[in-house]
Short mmCIF file of all heavy atoms in Angstrom, two decimals:
data_model
loop_
_atom_site.label_atom_id
_atom_site.label_comp_id
_atom_site.label_asym_id
_atom_site.label_seq_id
_atom_site.Cartn_x
_atom_site.Cartn_y
_atom_site.Cartn_z
N MET A 275 -25.24 -9.02 -23.35
CA MET A 275 -24.18 -7.95 -23.46
C MET A 275 -23.63 -7.79 -22.04
O MET A 275 -23.72 -8.60 -21.21
CB MET A 275 -24.86 -6.73 -23.99
CG MET A 275 -23.86 -5.85 -24.62
SD MET A 275 -24.76 -4.88 -25.72
CE MET A 275 -23.46 -3.93 -26.44
N GLY A 276 -22.95 -6.79 -21.75
CA GLY A 276 -22.30 -6.59 -20.39
C GLY A 276 -21.56 -5.37 -20.45
O GLY A 276 -21.68 -4.53 -21.45
N PRO A 277 -20.82 -5.05 -19.47
CA PRO A 277 -20.00 -3.85 -19.50
C PRO A 277 -18.94 -3.87 -20.56
O PRO A 277 -18.47 -4.83 -21.06
CB PRO A 277 -19.35 -3.70 -18.13
CG PRO A 277 -19.37 -5.21 -17.65
CD PRO A 277 -20.53 -5.87 -18.35
N THR A 278 -18.68 -2.58 -21.07
CA THR A 278 -17.61 -2.50 -22.05
C THR A 278 -16.28 -2.62 -21.38
O THR A 278 -16.01 -2.02 -20.36
CB THR A 278 -17.62 -1.06 -22.66
OG1 THR A 278 -18.93 -0.88 -23.32
CG2 THR A 278 -16.53 -0.87 -23.69
N LYS A 279 -15.42 -3.50 -21.85
CA LYS A 279 -14.11 -3.80 -21.25
C LYS A 279 -13.18 -2.69 -21.82
O LYS A 279 -13.17 -2.41 -23.06
CB LYS A 279 -13.61 -5.09 -21.57
CG LYS A 279 -14.43 -6.21 -20.90
CD LYS A 279 -14.02 -7.57 -21.32
CE LYS A 279 -14.86 -8.65 -20.67
NZ LYS A 279 -14.57 -9.94 -21.10
N VAL A 280 -12.41 -2.01 -20.92
CA VAL A 280 -11.45 -1.02 -21.31
C VAL A 280 -10.07 -1.33 -20.82
O VAL A 280 -9.87 -2.18 -20.01
CB VAL A 280 -11.90 0.34 -20.71
CG1 VAL A 280 -13.34 0.72 -21.19
CG2 VAL A 280 -11.87 0.37 -19.15
N ILE A 281 -9.13 -0.67 -21.46
CA ILE A 281 -7.76 -0.63 -21.09
C ILE A 281 -7.40 0.77 -20.67
O ILE A 281 -7.96 1.73 -21.13
CB ILE A 281 -6.81 -1.14 -22.20
CG1 ILE A 281 -7.02 -0.40 -23.45
CG2 ILE A 281 -7.11 -2.70 -22.39
CD1 ILE A 281 -6.01 -0.80 -24.58
N VAL A 282 -6.33 0.88 -19.85
CA VAL A 282 -5.91 2.23 -19.35
C VAL A 282 -4.46 2.48 -19.93
O VAL A 282 -3.66 1.61 -19.88
CB VAL A 282 -5.83 2.15 -17.82
CG1 VAL A 282 -5.40 3.51 -17.35
CG2 VAL A 282 -7.19 1.84 -17.25
N LYS A 283 -4.33 3.63 -20.56
CA LYS A 283 -3.16 4.05 -21.18
C LYS A 283 -2.95 5.55 -20.74
O LYS A 283 -3.66 6.35 -21.20
CB LYS A 283 -2.98 3.97 -22.65
CG LYS A 283 -3.10 2.55 -23.16
CD LYS A 283 -3.05 2.51 -24.76
CE LYS A 283 -3.14 1.14 -25.25
NZ LYS A 283 -3.19 1.18 -26.73
N VAL A 284 -1.83 5.86 -20.03
CA VAL A 284 -1.43 7.21 -19.68
C VAL A 284 -2.65 8.02 -19.31
O VAL A 284 -2.98 9.02 -20.02
CB VAL A 284 -0.64 7.83 -20.84
CG1 VAL A 284 0.02 9.14 -20.40
CG2 VAL A 284 0.37 6.87 -21.40
N PHE A 285 -3.22 7.67 -18.20
CA PHE A 285 -4.41 8.50 -17.65
C PHE A 285 -5.61 8.59 -18.57
O PHE A 285 -6.39 9.53 -18.46
CB PHE A 285 -3.98 9.92 -17.23
CG PHE A 285 -2.71 9.93 -16.46
CD1 PHE A 285 -1.60 10.65 -16.80
CD2 PHE A 285 -2.66 9.26 -15.20
CE1 PHE A 285 -0.51 10.67 -15.99
CE2 PHE A 285 -1.54 9.18 -14.43
CZ PHE A 285 -0.44 9.93 -14.76
N ALA A 286 -5.71 7.69 -19.52
CA ALA A 286 -6.90 7.67 -20.40
C ALA A 286 -7.40 6.30 -20.53
O ALA A 286 -6.68 5.35 -20.35
CB ALA A 286 -6.57 8.24 -21.76
N ILE A 287 -8.66 6.14 -20.83
CA ILE A 287 -9.26 4.75 -21.01
C ILE A 287 -9.75 4.59 -22.48
O ILE A 287 -10.21 5.56 -23.10
CB ILE A 287 -10.41 4.53 -20.11
CG1 ILE A 287 -11.51 5.51 -20.00
CG2 ILE A 287 -9.88 4.30 -18.59
CD1 ILE A 287 -12.67 5.21 -19.20
N TYR A 288 -9.55 3.48 -23.05
CA TYR A 288 -9.85 3.06 -24.36
C TYR A 288 -10.69 1.71 -24.41
O TYR A 288 -10.38 0.88 -23.52
CB TYR A 288 -8.61 2.89 -25.19
CG TYR A 288 -7.78 4.15 -25.33
CD1 TYR A 288 -6.85 4.44 -24.35
CD2 TYR A 288 -7.95 5.02 -26.41
CE1 TYR A 288 -6.12 5.64 -24.42
CE2 TYR A 288 -7.15 6.15 -26.43
CZ TYR A 288 -6.25 6.44 -25.44
OH TYR A 288 -5.52 7.56 -25.56
N GLU A 289 -11.56 1.59 -25.28
CA GLU A 289 -12.25 0.25 -25.44
C GLU A 289 -11.21 -0.81 -25.77
O GLU A 289 -10.37 -0.63 -26.70
CB GLU A 289 -13.31 0.38 -26.57
CG GLU A 289 -14.21 -0.80 -26.64
CD GLU A 289 -15.32 -0.71 -27.65
OE1 GLU A 289 -15.64 0.49 -27.97
OE2 GLU A 289 -15.81 -1.70 -28.06
N ALA A 290 -11.31 -1.87 -25.02
CA ALA A 290 -10.25 -2.97 -25.19
C ALA A 290 -10.32 -3.56 -26.54
O ALA A 290 -9.28 -3.91 -27.14
CB ALA A 290 -10.47 -3.97 -24.09
N LYS A 291 -11.45 -3.77 -27.11
CA LYS A 291 -11.60 -4.49 -28.37
C LYS A 291 -11.20 -3.74 -29.54
O LYS A 291 -10.51 -4.20 -30.46
CB LYS A 291 -13.01 -5.04 -28.50
CG LYS A 291 -13.21 -5.97 -29.63
CD LYS A 291 -14.69 -6.59 -29.64
CE LYS A 291 -14.60 -8.05 -29.67
NZ LYS A 291 -15.93 -8.60 -29.66
N THR A 292 -11.59 -2.43 -29.60
CA THR A 292 -11.38 -1.60 -30.80
C THR A 292 -10.33 -0.53 -30.61
O THR A 292 -9.76 0.00 -31.59
CB THR A 292 -12.63 -0.80 -31.17
OG1 THR A 292 -13.02 0.05 -30.18
CG2 THR A 292 -13.82 -1.76 -31.41
N GLY A 293 -9.98 -0.27 -29.37
CA GLY A 293 -8.97 0.87 -29.10
C GLY A 293 -9.56 2.23 -29.17
O GLY A 293 -8.85 3.21 -29.03
N LYS A 294 -10.86 2.31 -29.29
CA LYS A 294 -11.54 3.59 -29.35
C LYS A 294 -11.43 4.37 -28.06
O LYS A 294 -11.68 3.85 -27.04
CB LYS A 294 -13.08 3.37 -29.67
CG LYS A 294 -13.85 4.62 -29.77
CD LYS A 294 -15.37 4.26 -29.98
CE LYS A 294 -16.23 5.48 -29.88
NZ LYS A 294 -17.60 5.15 -29.95
N PHE A 295 -11.02 5.65 -28.21
CA PHE A 295 -10.87 6.53 -27.06
C PHE A 295 -12.19 6.73 -26.32
O PHE A 295 -13.20 6.94 -26.92
CB PHE A 295 -10.34 7.88 -27.52
CG PHE A 295 -10.34 8.93 -26.36
CD1 PHE A 295 -9.39 8.93 -25.48
CD2 PHE A 295 -11.28 9.91 -26.37
CE1 PHE A 295 -9.41 9.91 -24.40
CE2 PHE A 295 -11.38 10.84 -25.44
CZ PHE A 295 -10.41 10.82 -24.48
N ILE A 296 -12.19 6.65 -25.02
CA ILE A 296 -13.46 6.82 -24.18
C ILE A 296 -13.34 8.11 -23.30
O ILE A 296 -14.17 8.90 -23.35
CB ILE A 296 -13.75 5.64 -23.30
CG1 ILE A 296 -14.04 4.49 -24.24
CG2 ILE A 296 -14.97 5.96 -22.46
CD1 ILE A 296 -14.24 3.15 -23.53
N GLU A 297 -12.21 8.21 -22.50
CA GLU A 297 -12.16 9.31 -21.52
C GLU A 297 -10.67 9.52 -21.12
O GLU A 297 -9.88 8.56 -21.06
CB GLU A 297 -12.98 8.98 -20.26
CG GLU A 297 -13.00 10.05 -19.22
CD GLU A 297 -13.91 11.28 -19.65
OE1 GLU A 297 -14.80 11.14 -20.40
OE2 GLU A 297 -13.46 12.39 -19.17
N ASP A 298 -10.37 10.79 -20.91
CA ASP A 298 -8.90 11.04 -20.36
C ASP A 298 -8.98 11.93 -19.17
O ASP A 298 -10.04 12.29 -18.70
CB ASP A 298 -7.96 11.61 -21.53
CG ASP A 298 -8.43 13.03 -22.00
OD1 ASP A 298 -9.42 13.46 -21.40
OD2 ASP A 298 -7.69 13.54 -22.75
N GLY A 299 -7.85 12.36 -18.63
CA GLY A 299 -7.75 13.20 -17.51
C GLY A 299 -7.89 12.44 -16.19
O GLY A 299 -8.18 13.14 -15.24
N LEU A 300 -7.83 11.19 -16.13
CA LEU A 300 -8.00 10.40 -14.95
C LEU A 300 -6.66 10.02 -14.42
O LEU A 300 -6.05 9.05 -14.71
CB LEU A 300 -8.88 9.14 -15.29
CG LEU A 300 -10.20 9.43 -15.99
CD1 LEU A 300 -10.72 8.19 -16.61
CD2 LEU A 300 -11.14 10.18 -15.05
N ALA A 301 -6.20 10.92 -13.50
CA ALA A 301 -4.76 10.88 -13.07
C ALA A 301 -4.45 9.76 -12.00
O ALA A 301 -3.36 9.27 -11.94
CB ALA A 301 -4.34 12.26 -12.54
N ILE A 302 -5.44 9.37 -11.22
CA ILE A 302 -5.14 8.33 -10.21
C ILE A 302 -6.13 7.17 -10.39
O ILE A 302 -7.24 7.40 -10.93
CB ILE A 302 -5.19 8.92 -8.78
CG1 ILE A 302 -6.52 9.59 -8.46
CG2 ILE A 302 -3.96 9.81 -8.59
CD1 ILE A 302 -6.64 10.06 -7.05
N TYR A 303 -5.83 5.97 -9.86
CA TYR A 303 -6.66 4.84 -9.98
C TYR A 303 -8.06 5.02 -9.40
O TYR A 303 -9.08 4.64 -9.98
CB TYR A 303 -6.08 3.60 -9.40
CG TYR A 303 -6.73 2.33 -9.81
CD1 TYR A 303 -6.66 1.90 -11.16
CD2 TYR A 303 -7.53 1.66 -9.00
CE1 TYR A 303 -7.30 0.74 -11.51
CE2 TYR A 303 -8.22 0.53 -9.36
CZ TYR A 303 -8.09 0.02 -10.69
OH TYR A 303 -8.80 -1.07 -11.11
N GLU A 304 -8.12 5.78 -8.33
CA GLU A 304 -9.41 6.07 -7.73
C GLU A 304 -10.39 6.87 -8.64
O GLU A 304 -11.54 6.63 -8.62
CB GLU A 304 -9.29 6.89 -6.34
CG GLU A 304 -8.70 5.96 -5.28
CD GLU A 304 -7.22 5.73 -5.33
OE1 GLU A 304 -6.51 6.49 -6.15
OE2 GLU A 304 -6.72 4.87 -4.67
N GLU A 305 -9.82 7.77 -9.46
CA GLU A 305 -10.63 8.52 -10.46
C GLU A 305 -11.07 7.56 -11.46
O GLU A 305 -12.25 7.67 -11.98
CB GLU A 305 -9.75 9.60 -11.06
CG GLU A 305 -9.54 10.75 -10.08
CD GLU A 305 -8.62 11.92 -10.74
OE1 GLU A 305 -8.09 11.64 -11.84
OE2 GLU A 305 -8.48 12.92 -10.07
N LEU A 306 -10.27 6.62 -11.93
CA LEU A 306 -10.67 5.62 -12.93
C LEU A 306 -11.81 4.82 -12.34
O LEU A 306 -12.84 4.56 -13.00
CB LEU A 306 -9.47 4.65 -13.28
CG LEU A 306 -8.43 5.32 -14.13
CD1 LEU A 306 -7.11 4.36 -14.10
CD2 LEU A 306 -8.82 5.57 -15.48
N GLN A 307 -11.72 4.31 -11.06
CA GLN A 307 -12.77 3.49 -10.50
C GLN A 307 -14.06 4.34 -10.35
O GLN A 307 -15.10 3.82 -10.58
CB GLN A 307 -12.30 3.02 -9.04
CG GLN A 307 -11.32 1.98 -9.11
CD GLN A 307 -10.78 1.62 -7.77
OE1 GLN A 307 -10.54 2.40 -6.95
NE2 GLN A 307 -10.73 0.29 -7.52
N ASP A 308 -13.93 5.57 -9.96
CA ASP A 308 -15.12 6.46 -9.90
C ASP A 308 -15.79 6.63 -11.24
O ASP A 308 -17.05 6.53 -11.32
CB ASP A 308 -14.80 7.83 -9.33
CG ASP A 308 -15.99 8.72 -9.01
OD1 ASP A 308 -16.90 8.19 -8.36
OD2 ASP A 308 -16.03 9.86 -9.62
N TYR A 309 -15.01 6.81 -12.29
CA TYR A 309 -15.61 6.96 -13.60
C TYR A 309 -16.29 5.68 -14.02
O TYR A 309 -17.28 5.61 -14.64
CB TYR A 309 -14.47 7.31 -14.64
CG TYR A 309 -15.03 7.55 -16.05
CD1 TYR A 309 -15.66 8.72 -16.42
CD2 TYR A 309 -15.06 6.43 -16.96
CE1 TYR A 309 -16.23 8.90 -17.69
CE2 TYR A 309 -15.59 6.65 -18.21
CZ TYR A 309 -16.14 7.92 -18.57
OH TYR A 309 -16.70 8.01 -19.83
N ALA A 310 -15.57 4.46 -13.69
CA ALA A 310 -16.18 3.21 -14.08
C ALA A 310 -17.50 2.89 -13.41
O ALA A 310 -18.34 2.16 -13.87
CB ALA A 310 -15.10 2.06 -13.73
N ASN A 311 -17.69 3.53 -12.21
CA ASN A 311 -18.96 3.29 -11.46
C ASN A 311 -20.15 4.00 -12.11
O ASN A 311 -21.30 3.60 -11.77
CB ASN A 311 -18.76 3.75 -10.04
CG ASN A 311 -17.91 2.78 -9.26
OD1 ASN A 311 -17.76 1.61 -9.57
ND2 ASN A 311 -17.33 3.28 -8.23
N HIS A 312 -19.99 4.91 -12.96
CA HIS A 312 -21.05 5.64 -13.61
C HIS A 312 -21.48 5.07 -14.97
O HIS A 312 -22.54 4.59 -15.17
CB HIS A 312 -20.69 7.14 -13.60
CG HIS A 312 -20.69 7.73 -12.23
ND1 HIS A 312 -19.60 7.47 -11.35
CD2 HIS A 312 -21.51 8.45 -11.51
CE1 HIS A 312 -19.85 8.00 -10.19
NE2 HIS A 312 -21.07 8.69 -10.24
N PRO A 313 -20.58 5.18 -15.96
CA PRO A 313 -20.84 4.47 -17.30
C PRO A 313 -20.79 2.93 -17.05
O PRO A 313 -20.21 2.51 -16.08
CB PRO A 313 -19.79 4.99 -18.22
CG PRO A 313 -19.24 6.17 -17.60
CD PRO A 313 -19.36 6.01 -16.12
N TYR A 314 -21.25 2.23 -17.95
CA TYR A 314 -21.18 0.76 -17.81
C TYR A 314 -19.93 0.20 -18.37
O TYR A 314 -19.98 -0.29 -19.52
CB TYR A 314 -22.47 0.25 -18.47
CG TYR A 314 -22.85 -1.15 -18.01
CD1 TYR A 314 -22.94 -1.43 -16.65
CD2 TYR A 314 -23.11 -2.14 -18.87
CE1 TYR A 314 -23.27 -2.76 -16.19
CE2 TYR A 314 -23.54 -3.41 -18.47
CZ TYR A 314 -23.57 -3.67 -17.19
OH TYR A 314 -23.97 -4.96 -16.73
N ILE A 315 -18.87 0.41 -17.74
CA ILE A 315 -17.55 -0.15 -18.17
C ILE A 315 -16.94 -1.00 -17.15
O ILE A 315 -17.30 -0.95 -15.91
CB ILE A 315 -16.54 0.96 -18.59
CG1 ILE A 315 -16.14 1.80 -17.39
CG2 ILE A 315 -17.20 1.87 -19.69
CD1 ILE A 315 -15.07 2.81 -17.70
N SER A 316 -15.96 -1.79 -17.46
CA SER A 316 -15.31 -2.67 -16.64
C SER A 316 -13.75 -2.47 -16.76
O SER A 316 -13.20 -2.57 -17.81
CB SER A 316 -15.63 -4.19 -16.88
OG SER A 316 -14.95 -5.01 -16.08
N LEU A 317 -13.08 -2.11 -15.59
CA LEU A 317 -11.69 -1.93 -15.61
C LEU A 317 -10.94 -3.28 -15.44
O LEU A 317 -11.50 -4.19 -14.75
CB LEU A 317 -11.28 -0.98 -14.50
CG LEU A 317 -11.76 0.44 -14.56
CD1 LEU A 317 -11.55 1.19 -13.24
CD2 LEU A 317 -11.06 1.15 -15.64
N PRO A 318 -9.73 -3.45 -15.91
CA PRO A 318 -8.96 -4.64 -15.63
C PRO A 318 -8.67 -4.72 -14.18
O PRO A 318 -8.48 -3.78 -13.54
CB PRO A 318 -7.64 -4.50 -16.42
CG PRO A 318 -7.81 -3.19 -17.30
CD PRO A 318 -8.95 -2.46 -16.78
N VAL A 319 -8.54 -5.98 -13.65
CA VAL A 319 -8.10 -6.19 -12.27
C VAL A 319 -6.69 -5.92 -12.15
O VAL A 319 -5.90 -6.27 -13.00
CB VAL A 319 -8.42 -7.70 -11.93
CG1 VAL A 319 -7.89 -7.96 -10.56
CG2 VAL A 319 -9.87 -8.02 -12.07
N VAL A 320 -6.32 -5.16 -11.11
CA VAL A 320 -4.90 -4.79 -10.81
C VAL A 320 -4.47 -5.22 -9.47
O VAL A 320 -5.29 -5.33 -8.55
CB VAL A 320 -4.67 -3.27 -10.99
CG1 VAL A 320 -4.88 -2.79 -12.42
CG2 VAL A 320 -5.55 -2.45 -10.03
N ASP A 321 -3.18 -5.38 -9.31
CA ASP A 321 -2.64 -5.77 -7.97
C ASP A 321 -2.34 -4.51 -7.20
O ASP A 321 -2.72 -3.37 -7.65
CB ASP A 321 -1.33 -6.67 -8.09
CG ASP A 321 -0.24 -6.01 -8.82
OD1 ASP A 321 -0.27 -4.69 -8.91
OD2 ASP A 321 0.68 -6.66 -9.28
N LYS A 322 -1.88 -4.69 -6.00
CA LYS A 322 -1.61 -3.57 -5.06
C LYS A 322 -0.61 -2.53 -5.65
O LYS A 322 -0.62 -1.34 -5.27
CB LYS A 322 -1.15 -3.96 -3.73
CG LYS A 322 -2.34 -4.60 -2.94
CD LYS A 322 -1.90 -5.04 -1.52
CE LYS A 322 -3.10 -5.72 -0.91
NZ LYS A 322 -2.75 -6.14 0.50
N ALA A 323 0.17 -2.94 -6.54
CA ALA A 323 1.19 -2.02 -7.18
C ALA A 323 0.58 -1.33 -8.42
O ALA A 323 1.25 -0.52 -9.09
CB ALA A 323 2.42 -2.78 -7.60
N GLY A 324 -0.76 -1.66 -8.77
CA GLY A 324 -1.32 -1.07 -9.87
C GLY A 324 -1.09 -1.80 -11.23
O GLY A 324 -1.47 -1.29 -12.27
N GLN A 325 -0.42 -2.90 -11.22
CA GLN A 325 -0.14 -3.69 -12.42
C GLN A 325 -1.24 -4.61 -12.75
O GLN A 325 -1.79 -5.30 -11.84
CB GLN A 325 1.14 -4.46 -12.22
CG GLN A 325 2.36 -3.66 -11.98
CD GLN A 325 2.61 -2.71 -13.10
OE1 GLN A 325 2.60 -3.12 -14.26
NE2 GLN A 325 2.83 -1.46 -12.70
N PRO A 326 -1.75 -4.62 -14.02
CA PRO A 326 -2.96 -5.44 -14.33
C PRO A 326 -2.56 -6.96 -14.23
O PRO A 326 -1.44 -7.37 -14.55
CB PRO A 326 -3.19 -5.09 -15.74
CG PRO A 326 -2.04 -4.44 -16.30
CD PRO A 326 -1.28 -3.84 -15.13
N TRP A 327 -3.54 -7.79 -13.87
CA TRP A 327 -3.40 -9.22 -13.93
C TRP A 327 -3.59 -9.65 -15.39
O TRP A 327 -4.43 -9.12 -16.14
CB TRP A 327 -4.52 -9.86 -13.08
CG TRP A 327 -4.36 -9.72 -11.64
CD1 TRP A 327 -3.54 -8.98 -10.86
CD2 TRP A 327 -5.29 -10.35 -10.63
NE1 TRP A 327 -3.68 -9.07 -9.55
CE2 TRP A 327 -4.80 -9.92 -9.44
CE3 TRP A 327 -6.29 -11.21 -10.72
CZ2 TRP A 327 -5.40 -10.33 -8.19
CZ3 TRP A 327 -6.97 -11.54 -9.59
CH2 TRP A 327 -6.45 -11.19 -8.32
N LEU A 328 -2.63 -10.47 -15.75
CA LEU A 328 -2.72 -10.95 -17.19
C LEU A 328 -2.89 -12.41 -17.31
O LEU A 328 -2.38 -13.20 -16.52
CB LEU A 328 -1.39 -10.50 -17.93
CG LEU A 328 -1.09 -9.04 -17.96
CD1 LEU A 328 0.35 -8.86 -18.60
CD2 LEU A 328 -2.13 -8.28 -18.58
N LEU A 329 -3.58 -12.98 -18.40
CA LEU A 329 -3.73 -14.21 -18.70
C LEU A 329 -3.43 -14.33 -20.15
O LEU A 329 -4.08 -13.76 -21.03
CB LEU A 329 -5.14 -14.81 -18.38
CG LEU A 329 -5.39 -16.25 -18.77
CD1 LEU A 329 -4.59 -17.15 -17.98
CD2 LEU A 329 -6.88 -16.58 -18.56
N GLU A 330 -2.31 -15.09 -20.50
CA GLU A 330 -1.84 -15.21 -21.88
C GLU A 330 -1.70 -13.80 -22.52
O GLU A 330 -2.00 -13.55 -23.64
CB GLU A 330 -2.83 -16.03 -22.70
CG GLU A 330 -2.96 -17.47 -22.30
CD GLU A 330 -3.95 -18.27 -22.95
OE1 GLU A 330 -4.61 -17.82 -23.94
OE2 GLU A 330 -4.10 -19.54 -22.65
N GLY A 331 -1.13 -12.90 -21.75
CA GLY A 331 -0.83 -11.53 -22.25
C GLY A 331 -2.02 -10.55 -22.24
O GLY A 331 -1.82 -9.46 -22.68
N GLU A 332 -3.16 -11.00 -21.90
CA GLU A 332 -4.41 -10.08 -22.01
C GLU A 332 -4.88 -9.77 -20.54
O GLU A 332 -4.78 -10.67 -19.63
CB GLU A 332 -5.52 -10.87 -22.69
CG GLU A 332 -5.19 -11.09 -24.17
CD GLU A 332 -5.01 -9.85 -25.05
OE1 GLU A 332 -5.73 -8.87 -24.78
OE2 GLU A 332 -4.11 -9.81 -25.81
N PRO A 333 -5.29 -8.59 -20.33
CA PRO A 333 -5.83 -8.24 -19.00
C PRO A 333 -7.05 -9.13 -18.60
O PRO A 333 -7.79 -9.64 -19.38
CB PRO A 333 -6.31 -6.76 -19.11
CG PRO A 333 -5.79 -6.38 -20.41
CD PRO A 333 -5.47 -7.55 -21.30
N ILE A 334 -7.22 -9.25 -17.26
CA ILE A 334 -8.27 -10.02 -16.66
C ILE A 334 -9.34 -8.99 -16.19
O ILE A 334 -8.96 -8.08 -15.51
CB ILE A 334 -7.82 -10.91 -15.61
CG1 ILE A 334 -6.89 -11.97 -16.06
CG2 ILE A 334 -9.07 -11.57 -14.80
CD1 ILE A 334 -6.28 -12.80 -15.01
N TYR A 335 -10.57 -9.19 -16.50
CA TYR A 335 -11.67 -8.27 -16.06
C TYR A 335 -12.53 -9.02 -15.06
O TYR A 335 -12.97 -10.18 -15.25
CB TYR A 335 -12.47 -7.85 -17.22
CG TYR A 335 -11.72 -6.98 -18.18
CD1 TYR A 335 -10.99 -7.55 -19.24
CD2 TYR A 335 -11.71 -5.62 -18.09
CE1 TYR A 335 -10.25 -6.78 -20.08
CE2 TYR A 335 -10.98 -4.78 -18.94
CZ TYR A 335 -10.19 -5.38 -19.89
OH TYR A 335 -9.55 -4.63 -20.78
N PHE A 336 -12.93 -8.32 -14.03
CA PHE A 336 -13.99 -8.82 -13.06
C PHE A 336 -15.20 -7.98 -13.34
O PHE A 336 -15.29 -6.75 -13.14
CB PHE A 336 -13.55 -8.63 -11.61
CG PHE A 336 -14.49 -8.97 -10.66
CD1 PHE A 336 -14.73 -10.42 -10.43
CD2 PHE A 336 -15.24 -8.12 -9.89
CE1 PHE A 336 -15.75 -10.84 -9.50
CE2 PHE A 336 -16.20 -8.45 -9.04
CZ PHE A 336 -16.47 -9.79 -8.85
N THR A 337 -16.27 -8.64 -13.79
CA THR A 337 -17.57 -7.95 -14.14
C THR A 337 -18.67 -8.37 -13.26
O THR A 337 -19.79 -7.95 -13.52
CB THR A 337 -17.83 -8.18 -15.60
OG1 THR A 337 -17.92 -9.54 -15.87
CG2 THR A 337 -16.78 -7.53 -16.46
N GLY A 338 -18.42 -9.22 -12.24
CA GLY A 338 -19.52 -9.68 -11.41
C GLY A 338 -19.37 -9.33 -9.97
O GLY A 338 -18.40 -8.65 -9.64
N GLN A 339 -20.22 -9.79 -9.13
CA GLN A 339 -20.03 -9.56 -7.69
C GLN A 339 -19.29 -10.69 -7.09
O GLN A 339 -19.28 -11.79 -7.46
CB GLN A 339 -21.44 -9.44 -7.07
CG GLN A 339 -22.27 -8.32 -7.66
CD GLN A 339 -23.07 -7.65 -6.60
OE1 GLN A 339 -23.31 -8.25 -5.51
NE2 GLN A 339 -23.46 -6.50 -6.88
N ALA A 340 -18.51 -10.27 -6.04
CA ALA A 340 -17.66 -11.27 -5.37
C ALA A 340 -18.57 -12.20 -4.63
O ALA A 340 -19.62 -11.85 -4.08
CB ALA A 340 -16.76 -10.56 -4.39
N VAL A 341 -18.23 -13.47 -4.47
CA VAL A 341 -19.04 -14.44 -3.72
C VAL A 341 -18.37 -14.84 -2.48
O VAL A 341 -17.13 -14.79 -2.28
CB VAL A 341 -19.22 -15.69 -4.58
CG1 VAL A 341 -20.72 -15.85 -4.87
CG2 VAL A 341 -18.46 -15.76 -5.84
#
């Protein structure tokens, strides 16, 4: 198994596979990252402008440690 992959929509996070609501009220990306560090979830990789990296229209997730 692994971390739950989530998507971010208007300051809230939802499970990527089912769309199930997880948490809201996360106004800035740093709050999202802080929340992700506690429960076992994985945020999509974003560029410096905050736009998610996409592959074939789907977000890319980094769930391991950098090498």
Side-chain angles (χ1 to χ4, degrees):
M275 201 159 182
T278 300
K279 294 178 180 175
V280 299
I281 55 174
V282 180
K283 295 181 184 176
V284 192
F285 311 123
I287 54 177
Y288 298 84
E289 187 175 338
K291 192 174 232 181
T292 65
K294 179 181 169 188
F295 170 79
I296 296 176
E297 183 71 30
D298 67 355
L300 305 166
I302 59 175
Y303 193 74
E304 287 78 15
E305 289 177 350
L306 289 167
Q307 288 177 314
D308 185 52
Y309 183 83
N311 288 335
H312 293 74
Y314 200 48
I315 65 172
S316 178
L317 294 170
V319 177
V320 296
D321 62 19
K322 290 184 180 182
Q325 299 300 312
W327 289 4
L328 301 176
L329 177 64
E330 297 178 359
E332 297 295 321
I334 296 172
Y335 293 88
F336 176 74
T337 59
Q339 296 218 342
V341 245

